[in-house]
Amino acid sequence: MITYNWNCKTVDIHPQEDDLTDVVYNIHWKLTGKEGEHEVESIGTVAVVLDPDATFIPFEDLTNSIVTGWAENAIGAEGVQGIKDGIDSQIQEMIAPTSETRTIED
């Protein structure tokens, strides 16, 4: 069974936006899938928009869990599943390769 781990600890911020400071606008994400000794990473970025109706969370109070939730929401359920499917395929290829590269000896 593949286990997944999100790392969304790197973000881009606007130092000042309206009357707020350190406003996250871009998340650098990494999703790692692991099954046994086989591990695959997928990386990317996703833009997030400040929701004026949501409670603002100061930068110093952000956690990986909070920002991961933002990233997953911004990517969308289908997008997240697509990333996981890609990781799954790569891991399955490691476990049971469907092709190999070989060198012909003269």
Side-chain angles (χ1 to χ4, degrees):
M1 175 178 199
I2 298 174
T3 57
Y4 301 96
N5 183 44
W6 284 96
N7 179 330
C8 295
K9 296 179 182 178
T10 303
V11 296
D12 298 319
I13 63 158
H14 290 297
Q16 189 73 36
E17 187 171 321
D18 298 324
D19 60 343
L20 302 171
T21 58
D22 300 334
V23 177
V24 175
Y25 70 90
N26 196 50
I27 301 167
H28 300 257
W29 59 264
K30 175 170 57 173
L31 181 59
T32 304
K34 185 172 184 175
E35 183 173 341
E37 63 189 45
H38 305 289
E39 184 173 294
V40 172
E41 293 179 349
S42 184
I43 61 170
T45 60
V46 65
V48 291
V49 178
L50 179 63
D51 181 352
D53 296 327
T55 301
F56 180 76
I57 302 171
F59 185 81
E60 58 272 5
D61 294 337
L62 292 177
T63 64
N64 185 60
S65 179
I66 291 169
V67 179
T68 294
W70 296 350
E72 288 180 310
N73 286 338
I75 295 168
E78 273 188 37
V80 169
Q81 189 58 54
I83 295 165
K84 288 181 177 180
D85 289 347
I87 289 171
D88 294 355
S89 293
Q90 291 177 61
I91 289 175
Q92 291 311 311
E93 183 66 24
M94 291 171 154
I95 293 169
T98 58
S99 73
E100 297 178 3
T101 302
R102 296 187 178 178
T103 303
I104 299 170
E105 300 291 328
D106 276 340

